[in-house]
Amino acid sequence: MNQAAAAKGRAAAGLVLPPLPDDLRRQEAHAPVLEGEPLIAILARERQALDRANARQGRTVRFYDDLTSKYGSHP
């Protein structure tokens, strides 16, 4: 019964979530393709861009997991 009352109180009070960090909203651009440049150099830059995007996605997951651990579970 206490849990139900607490849940009702939280729902009535509303929930103020922290803002999403700006870094997590950023999109990663593809590596530029410069005419005459070796393909291996372009590929290396593209892989670096993918590494940055994957790291950002990991930070997004940690941010979300932190929210759910503090404010409740996800569906």
Side-chain angles (χ1 to χ4, degrees), residues 18-26 56 59-60 63-64 67:
L20 185 67
D22 290 337
D23 172 57
L24 302 183
R25 295 186 184 279
R26 190 173 63 224
R56 187 168 28 263
R59 291 190 300 277
T60 303
F63 179 83
Y64 180 77
L67 284 180

Side-chain angles (χ1 to χ4, degrees), residues 57-71:
Q57 190 265 349
R59 291 190 300 277
T60 303
V61 169
R62 286 190 298 278
F63 179 83
Y64 180 77
D65 288 346
D66 183 54
L67 284 180
T68 58
S69 71
K70 290 178 181 175
Y71 298 110

Side-chain angles (χ1 to χ4, degrees), residues 7-75:
K8 184 177 179 182
R10 282 193 302 273
L15 183 61
V16 178
L17 296 175
L20 185 67
D22 290 337
D23 172 57
L24 302 183
R25 295 186 184 279
R26 190 173 63 224
Q27 294 287 311
E28 193 67 45
H30 286 282
V33 177
L34 305 174
E35 189 174 335
E37 185 175 31
L39 291 178
I40 193 71
I42 298 167
L43 178 60
R45 284 197 316 275
E46 189 69 22
R47 290 181 59 87
Q48 290 170 348
L50 179 60
D51 288 344
R52 289 190 300 272
N54 285 340
R56 187 168 28 263
Q57 190 265 349
R59 291 190 300 277
T60 303
V61 169
R62 286 190 298 278
F63 179 83
Y64 180 77
D65 288 346
D66 183 54
L67 284 180
T68 58
S69 71
K70 290 178 181 175
Y71 298 110
S73 62
H74 53 82

